[in-house]
Amino acid sequence: MKTKTLKKNKVNVITLGCSKNLFDSEVTMTQLEANGFEVEHEAKQDDSEIVIINTCGFIDNAKEESINTILRYAEAKKDGQVDKLYVTGCLSERYKEGLEDEIKEVDAFFGTRELPKLLKTLNADYKHELIGERIITTPSHYAFLKISEGCDRKCAFCAIPLMRGKHISTPIEELVVQAKNLAKQGVKELILIAQELTFYGLDIYGERRLPELLKELSKVDGIEWIRLHYAYPTGFPMEIIHEMKDNPKVCNYLDIPLQHASDKMLKAMKRGATREKTTQLIKEVRALIPNIAIRTTFIVGFPGETREDIEEMKEWIAEMKFDRLGVFTYSHEEDTTAFALKDDVSEKEKKLRAQEVMGFQQNISLSLNEQKVGKTLKVLFDRIEGDYFVGRTEFDSPEVDNEVLVKAENNYLRIGDFAQVKIISADDFDLYGIPS
Ligand code: SF4
């Protein structure tokens, strides 16, 4: 056994999965630091005495990645490279008993709402006075803001409500305090996240209050962009789009997962939506904000999906011309209502359908990008990569959407700053420009 000097009271936090998990890791790190621990996020140097893995339990690939990460650190612990190993997050919430039996090297497993218990295990206290403060792990000019937890929807394929529980909104006042603290840290872009964004407020105010939240957040000095992720089509409150139209700080950007185009599939998925109704919704949104960027995701390979359903999906994608599109392959998740159906599309076929749909979108994305050539756009620069400054317009969210590349040579731009950029060329998923 090769042991090494581990830094006492140093915690390495590892995050898997989505931006909501990243938010939770940041809250955990903030609480630990306030209790005197030295904290790092996915530390390069593995000299932490304590490792906390915040897992994802959403679909097969994500679960596999989470288990492999736990096993890697379990090995490291056996090798004396780690002293204490803790696991939290969705996979732990969902499979705690089984994991406890299987992986004995883990000192303790915690659920998605057990931060106080995790802190107690480390002889630390949950500090309520820290509400609103947060160490961020994203580049310092943008941050995720989780406005609610859990979901009350019943999508047949989805295990999230099993892991995240019922929908709970965070009060507007608390979110405004968080935004002010983030702005003080230099954050200019707030990315609003939830499991289901449009439900915001229904539980604590008895009505949808997202437009009001947007108004309050946009009053925070220093915040210049507010971006919306994870909206739901059914019962979509158009007040959100009216606020987006009237409020210059709210990006003309809407992430709204639609999952499928075929009514047969939408019904089987228990989405409560139809192609016709959703087409109408998108048209209404675009009528109000013609240059809005609409991001969506589809699932292929759901039980019972046929060639015709995929053809219908492509036909609709061609009709709607979504600005940004992602595709997931269906994952047969136990305890979801879809688990009772026969998972009759092979993994190979699922992957082929995903490639086919993404290939189809690639051409649409190229033609939409070419329409931006010659235009001057406001760009927020995230990093330098190779010979380029890399940034995003208000139509692009970090890590998932298009980017704007500006040659670094002879151009003086600052990371974390906005600049006007004239677009000179385009390809499938990126734009190239010069400062103007
Ligand atoms: S709205 Fe999203 S999180 Fe909620 S059940 Fe449907 S897919 Fe899952």
Side-chain angles (χ1 to χ4, degrees), residues 167-374:
H167 178 96
I168 301 177
S169 304
T170 304
I172 292 177
E173 302 71 34
E174 222 179 281
L175 292 168
V176 170
V177 170
Q178 289 190 40
K180 284 183 176 157
N181 281 314
L182 292 170
K184 261 190 249 142
Q185 292 180 53
V187 169
K188 295 173 180 163
E189 177 183 7
L190 279 181
I191 303 168
L192 272 48
I193 55 175
Q195 305 298 353
E196 212 285 48
L197 204 76
T198 67
F199 247 58
Y200 181 75
L202 271 176
D203 53 321
I204 54 176
Y205 304 121
E207 59 183 9
R208 296 172 192 264
R209 286 276 189 93
L210 184 56
E212 187 187 331
L213 172 62
L214 295 176
K215 272 195 187 65
E216 294 309 314
L217 292 175
S218 62
K219 292 176 187 160
V220 176
D221 287 341
I223 299 297
E224 295 197 30
W225 277 357
I226 300 170
R227 188 178 300 282
L228 306 185
H229 268 269
Y230 305 105
Y232 195 93
T234 311
F236 184 90
M238 284 305 284
E239 293 78 13
I240 295 173
I241 304 302
H242 287 287
E243 180 59 28
M244 186 185 280
K245 182 177 168 62
D246 303 339
N247 189 330
K249 287 194 176 181
V250 181
C251 297
N252 290 349
Y253 177 94
L254 181 67
D255 168 48
I256 182 166
L258 298 172
Q259 312 303 6
H260 218 292
S262 124
D263 286 350
K264 182 191 83 185
M265 283 289 110
L266 288 166
K267 190 156 185 275
M269 288 175 164
K270 299 188 189 312
R271 291 287 291 177
T274 64
R275 174 175 169 170
E276 181 41 43
K277 280 197 201 127
T278 310
T279 302
Q280 214 35 54
L281 169 66
I282 303 288
K283 285 187 174 160
E284 242 179 273
V285 168
R286 283 178 169 157
L288 270 171
I289 307 180
N291 75 345
I292 190 171
I294 296 194
R295 169 179 181 76
T296 192
T297 43
F298 286 97
I299 293 178
V300 295
F302 188 82
E305 186 187 68
T306 61
R307 242 346 291 159
E308 289 68 40
D309 295 319
I310 289 294
E311 289 310 321
E312 181 169 1
M313 184 187 278
K314 285 172 16 182
E315 185 195 296
W316 196 46
I317 289 171
E319 178 194 341
M320 302 309 291
K321 292 191 175 37
F322 297 106
D323 304 271
R324 318 277 178 258
L325 186 142
V327 180
F328 285 96
T329 55
Y330 170 70
S331 179
H332 205 44
E333 295 298 320
E334 72 268 16
D335 303 324
T336 63
T337 50
F339 198 66
L341 306 171
K342 188 165 180 319
D343 185 13
D344 56 1
V345 182
S346 72
E347 288 310 313
K348 185 163 170 280
E349 179 57 22
K350 286 175 186 169
K351 289 200 175 78
L352 285 173
R353 291 178 185 183
Q355 281 159 12
E356 182 185 345
V357 172
M358 272 321 288
F360 193 73
Q361 172 65 16
Q362 204 163 343
N363 302 325
I364 293 169
S365 182
L366 176 60
S367 67
L368 292 172
N369 274 351
E370 281 168 345
Q371 290 165 27
K372 292 201 169 65
V373 174

Side-chain angles (χ1 to χ4, degrees), residues 151 153-155 157-158 160-161 195-196 232 259 271:
C151 185
R153 299 272 183 188
K154 305 231 173 315
C155 306
F157 51 80
C158 186
I160 291 173
Q195 305 298 353
E196 212 285 48
Y232 195 93
Q259 312 303 6
R271 291 287 291 177

Side-chain angles (χ1 to χ4, degrees), residues 39-172:
V39 288
E40 255 198 293
H41 192 246
E42 295 170 2
K44 305 262 170 316
Q45 232 197 326
D46 249 349
D47 60 359
S48 306
E49 179 190 37
I50 303 162
V51 171
I52 298 174
I53 304 172
N54 189 5
T55 59
C56 176
F58 184 37
I59 53 176
D60 281 349
N61 310 353
K63 291 192 282 188
E64 204 180 315
E65 188 192 5
S66 290
I67 288 169
N68 290 342
T69 306
I70 299 171
L71 292 175
R72 185 155 54 82
Y73 281 95
E75 274 312 303
K77 187 173 176 217
K78 272 193 254 172
D79 280 355
Q81 313 281 319
V82 170
D83 184 35
K84 291 284 181 199
L85 177 57
Y86 300 102
V87 174
T88 185
C90 291
L91 186 86
S92 185
E93 173 76 34
R94 195 169 171 197
Y95 301 107
K96 195 169 180 207
E97 281 76 39
L99 291 166
E100 280 170 343
D101 295 344
E102 297 287 323
I103 317 177
K104 301 288 185 204
E105 289 76 19
V106 173
D107 293 276
F109 288 89
F110 300 92
T112 51
R113 299 186 185 192
E114 293 189 317
L115 176 54
K117 210 169 148 197
L118 167 57
L119 291 168
K120 207 164 184 34
T121 307
L122 291 164
N123 301 320
D125 309 314
Y126 185 86
K127 299 184 181 299
H128 290 278
E129 68 275 19
L130 283 179
I131 295 285
E133 291 181 37
R134 183 162 44 101
I135 296 169
I136 59 171
T137 59
T138 47
S140 59
H141 55 275
Y142 72 80
F144 295 105
L145 185 65
K146 186 164 83 173
I147 68 171
S148 64
E149 179 57 283
C151 185
D152 294 356
R153 299 272 183 188
K154 305 231 173 315
C155 306
F157 51 80
C158 186
I160 291 173
L162 302 172
M163 302 179 284
R164 293 276 166 175
K166 284 285 179 203
H167 178 96
I168 301 177
S169 304
T170 304
I172 292 177

